[in-house]
Amino acid sequence: MQSFNWGIIGPGSIAGKFAQAIKASTRGQIAAVASRSQTRGEEFATQYKVPKVYQDYQSLVKDTQIDIIYVATPHSFHYQQAKLCIEAGKHLLLEKPCTINAAQMTALTELAKEHKVFLQEALWSRFTPCLSQLKQQLAAGIIGDIQTIHSTIGFAFQDRPQSRLFNLALGGGALLDLGVYSITISQFLLDEHPLKIQAMGKIGPSGVDEHCLVNMQYASGRMSQFICTAHSQADNIMTIVGSRGRIVLPSCFWDVDQALVYQNNNLVMNMDIPHKINGFEYQIEASMDCIEAGRPYSELMSHADSIGVMRVMDEVRQQLGLVFDGDIEAL
C-alpha cells in the first residue's frame, strides 16, 4: 500500500477539519503547510504536528517529498493556486467550489490531463457512504420515480459583516459557498444536468448575492428547487419527493449521515450512517485510492460534474447580474 505525504495551502478552519480527518488514515499524513501568514502557519503546524511550514506556496509545490496538495483557501484564489500545483506535477484536492467559473475549471482539467496528475474537487458530501447508499435505494425505487428535490441552505452571516461572504473581491455571496451543495447533491441523485434554469435573488449593499431562489428543470422532466441565503437562518433540509414517498435529509443536509424515508407519511427506513471522523475522511481516502490506481479523478465527483455545477452557477449569476471584482474570473 502506497503512503502519501500531503501538503496544505491555506491553514484555516476548513484545513483544520481536514487535519482532524486525516489523523485516522493509515497511509496519509500532512507533511507540510504553506501560509502567507507565518503566525497562522506555525500555529496550525503546532496544533496538528506538521513538520514543515512554508511562508510561500512556491516552496511547498517545489518540495519533492510532497505527493498531493490540499488547497483550502477561498475559491477566489483556487484557479491560480491549482494551476501552480498542477504545473509543478503535484496531485491536487481542491476545496469547493473548485473555481469561480466553469471556464477556469475546464482549463484546470485540461492542464491536469496534460501533466498527468490527479485533480479532484473536494465536494465532500459526494463521498459520504450515506449519500451513496441513498442513491442505491432511489435506483431501487424506494420512493418510486423522483419528481422533485427541494432544499434550503442559509445562515445569518449579517451578524458578521466582515465575513468573506460579503466581500465581492473574494467571490462572496450565498450561491458559490452554500448553493453549490444544493446543486451538486441534486445533480448526483438525478444523474443529469439541468436544461432550464430560472433564478431570482437579492444583491446586497456589498454587491454579493444575499439571497437566491433557483428552479432547475431537467431533460427527464424532473425539477429541483433551492434557496440559499447569507442573511437568514434556514432550516437546512433537503427533501426528495417521489411518486410513492419522500426522503428527508435533515439539517444540515450536506453533512450527509442520515436519510429518513417516508411512504404514505409513515417512516419506513432511517438510514443512519455516522461519519467515522467528521466526513472529510472519505474524500481523503478516495483521493489516495485514485492516485494509486492511476485514475485522474473519482467518479463520485468527476471533472464533468464539477464543470456542470459551475455552469449552473455561471447561469444563475448571469440572471442575477452578479459580477465579481478584479481579475478573479480570469484565466
Side-chain angles (χ1 to χ4, degrees), residues 149-168:
I149 298 177
H150 310 270
S151 61
T152 306
I153 177 170
F155 299 92
F157 285 105
Q158 72 271 17
D159 297 332
R160 289 177 275 168
Q162 301 306 314
S163 169
R164 176 183 55 80
L165 263 71
F166 295 109
N167 190 330
L168 194 65

Side-chain angles (χ1 to χ4, degrees), residues 194-201 212-217 223-226 312 315-316 319-320:
L195 293 179
K196 185 176 181 180
I197 300 168
Q198 297 175 326
M200 63 181 71
C212 293
L213 187 152
V214 180
N215 297 316
M216 298 178 287
Q217 188 169 28
M223 293 176 284
S224 178
Q225 180 187 70
F226 71 89
V312 171
E315 175 62 25
V316 171
Q319 292 187 26
L320 296 182

Side-chain angles (χ1 to χ4, degrees), residues 4 14 17 53 143 183 212 229 264 308 315:
F4 294 86
I14 297 298
K17 192 170 181 180
V53 180
I143 59 168
I183 298 167
C212 293
T229 174
N264 297 320
E315 175 62 25

